[in-house]
Every structure is written in C-alpha cells, then in structure tokens.
Amino acid sequence: LHSPDVSRVVDEVDTTAPSSIVTTSIAFSPRPAVQESPEMTAAAAAVAEAVGPWGSKLGTEMLLSSKNVVYNNLGGFGPGGQDEPGELRYERVCLVDGEPVDLVISVDDSSTYTPEIASLNGMGGRHMAASVNLALGSSVDLQLQFVRTSGSSGTESRRLEGSDAVRLGLLYLSVYDVEDPFHAISAPGEVFVSDWKAVLFPNGTRLPVSAIRGGASSWSAPMGPSVAFLLQDAEGAKVTLSAVHGEGNALGSYAGRTFLISLHSPDVS
C-alpha cells in the first residue's frame, strides 16, 4: 500500500514485527551505480593487461533452449528417460571453427543433487539460458563441459574423452534466478564459480580476481543484478549453486529455486 497523503510512522511502531502497521509512501529506485575509485581504476587496468581489452559485448550468446535439449536426466532425476545418461545436455549450442559443440551439465562426483521439481530442468526461461532446479536449503556442484557434437542420437552416454573436449579462449558465464526486469540474484551466497579470472559488473566495472577475493578462498556472486564471470582457456566451468531459504516469494517458493545459466564467448559463432 502506498499513498501520497500519509507519512511513515517510525518512532511509534516496530517495523520488523509482523503485526506492525506502517503507513508510508515508498519510492523504489534502481541501485545507484558504483563510483570507480582510483583503486578500482587501477584494478581495471590490471584486467586489461592480464586478459586483453574488454569490449562492450561479451561475444556470441550460446543457444540454450528447451528446443535443443537432447538429454534431460541431471543426477538421474529425470524428467527424461531413466535410460538416458545422468546429465543435462544441450546440443549444438555454438560452432567452434565451424564444428558444432554441445554443452553437458553434470553433477560433480563429490557432490549430491536434490531437485524440488526436476521437470523444470532444461525448460529455460524467456531468455537463452540453461535451467537447473534445486530444492530449498540444498546445494550442488555442477560441471559444465563443452564437447564436440556426436553424430549419434542413441541413448548411450557420449563419453567425454579428451579428444572430444572443446577449449575456448574466453568464456563469460552468468547465473541468475530472477529474469525480469533484469537478470539478478535474489540472495547472497547462492552462486560460486571456480577458476575465474575477472568479473564484469552491470555498471561496467571490471575487476580481476585478485581485487575482489583479496586472498579469500572463494567469493559468491552478490545479491542484485547478475555479474558475468570471465574464464580463460576453458573447456567448461565448475559452478556451485545453493538454494538459500528466506522470506519472500523468490526465496520461499514451493518450486524450490530454478537457476538460469547463460554463456557467451567471442570465440564461437
């Protein structure tokens, strides 16, 4: 409820109590852009020196849609047939040197996977993205691998042998659980990506891993507009997803949490 004819009562009521009544007119505005400090400018220069110039684009967006899912049995939970390999595979997501490439998403051998509604896997959203559903309060380590598209259409698993792997010079990876009005993460501590070199923030700030992690062993994507992780010389990525349980519709959905993963690279077509 909003009204221009009232003012907020802050001294007389406890605004944190469920039974409190607060009359107010609230204006929601976008999060202000981060102002770059001299340290951040220097860090951005370090990125340019380490990984080359950053363009305004991330390269070609990979084709990740329910229409090019060929195996949908992540962790053996379906909704594809139980005779399918325990993976989520998107066929022909891009071309590398003119050859088609698949994206294979699997559960890491050291991890367990608990979906809330497995049928949401592979459905995607309104944008090009792979989708993985997760039960609230659980987490999973995922392996994303690029392999050359096989001519076989059988149900036997296509072995990920070294000769099948495809390596990309630059790969941009973004994970979000809110699509509109912009891609965003609804809670901190939901997304961890391994072996990334730099992060591109939506306001244009670009920082290398050394400037962000500051010696810490790990760093999670912040809540709010999703960032793009840059990986170099990558055959894929390792991503840890955690379905944080909290207040609000996005954090307490009966459907668990569905994460969307988008991929871009200037090295593909």
Side-chain angles (χ1 to χ4, degrees), residues 4-163:
D5 302 320
V6 302
S7 59
R8 168 174 281 178
V9 180
V10 292
D11 295 327
E12 292 82 359
V13 297
D14 177 8
T15 59
T16 63
S19 59
S20 299
I21 299 176
V22 181
T23 55
T24 181
S25 176
I26 304 175
F28 292 95
S29 60
R31 183 175 300 182
V34 176
Q35 299 298 317
E36 288 199 11
S37 66
E39 292 78 11
M40 294 173 70
T41 302
V47 172
E49 181 179 356
V51 301
W54 290 67
S56 59
K57 297 182 179 179
L58 305 182
T60 300
E61 183 178 37
M62 297 190 190
L63 178 62
L64 297 169
S65 164
S66 60
K67 295 180 180 180
N68 65 320
V69 171
V70 290
Y71 295 146
N72 196 350
N73 190 28
L74 185 63
F77 287 95
Q82 291 303 305
D83 56 344
E84 293 184 4
E87 63 189 34
L88 173 58
R89 180 184 288 254
Y90 291 83
E91 189 173 42
R92 299 174 180 267
V93 299
C94 64
L95 298 176
V96 176
D97 296 328
E99 297 293 330
V101 172
D102 291 359
L103 171 68
V104 177
I105 302 176
S106 59
V107 178
D108 189 81
D109 292 340
S110 63
S111 180
T112 58
Y113 172 55
T114 306
E116 189 72 41
I117 302 179
S119 60
L120 294 177
N121 288 342
M123 288 188 65
R126 287 181 287 277
H127 307 279
M128 287 292 179
S131 59
V132 174
N133 180 261
L134 197 59
L136 291 176
S138 70
S139 62
V140 63
D141 297 332
L142 297 177
Q143 292 285 352
L144 282 62
Q145 296 174 292
F146 296 111
V147 297
R148 298 199 182 279
T149 300
S150 168
S152 171
S153 59
T155 57
E156 294 185 4
S157 178
R158 302 168 183 170
R159 295 187 178 276
L160 304 180
E161 299 174 354
S163 60

